[in-house]
Amino acid sequence: MKQAIGIDIGATKISFILLKNQKVIKKRKIATPKTKIKFIQEIKDNLKDFPKINKIGLAIAGALDIKKGLVLKSPNLKYLNNF
């Protein structure tokens, strides 16, 4: 059973989608938090509600350093710069 979660981080909302064998089985949207601490907590809290997953896909606007796993610059969420 292959399960994956996609997370789309936007300026006003964060969308979560759970896929099982390439079929959508669960969706959720939350308001994007206004601080880095609340952002981290919301992501952690919402991921707890999804079953164990094999893969995570993350979408966010901005410049990324994939090798270092960093958001270098986010035009929409300045508190994520260099995070």
Side-chain angles (χ1 to χ4, degrees), residues 3-74:
Q3 295 189 133
I5 189 166
I7 306 170
D8 180 15
I9 301 170
T12 59
K13 69 179 182 313
I14 300 174
S15 299
F16 299 84
I17 187 167
L18 181 66
L19 301 164
K20 181 177 176 181
N21 297 322
Q22 300 181 351
K23 293 185 180 183
V24 176
I25 58 172
K26 192 173 187 179
K27 292 182 185 181
R28 174 175 299 155
K29 287 184 185 177
I30 63 168
T32 301
K34 302 295 182 196
T35 67
K36 187 188 297 187
I37 292 171
K38 288 187 181 198
F39 173 84
I40 293 166
Q41 193 60 53
E42 284 292 331
I43 296 292
K44 286 172 57 176
D45 288 349
N46 279 278
L47 285 176
K48 288 178 188 176
D49 291 340
F50 289 90
K52 290 189 177 189
I53 51 178
N54 301 87
K55 297 178 182 179
I56 296 176
L58 182 65
I60 184 168
L64 307 175
D65 184 331
I66 301 299
K67 290 181 182 178
K68 292 182 180 178
L70 290 174
V71 176
L72 298 174
K73 188 168 185 174
S74 173

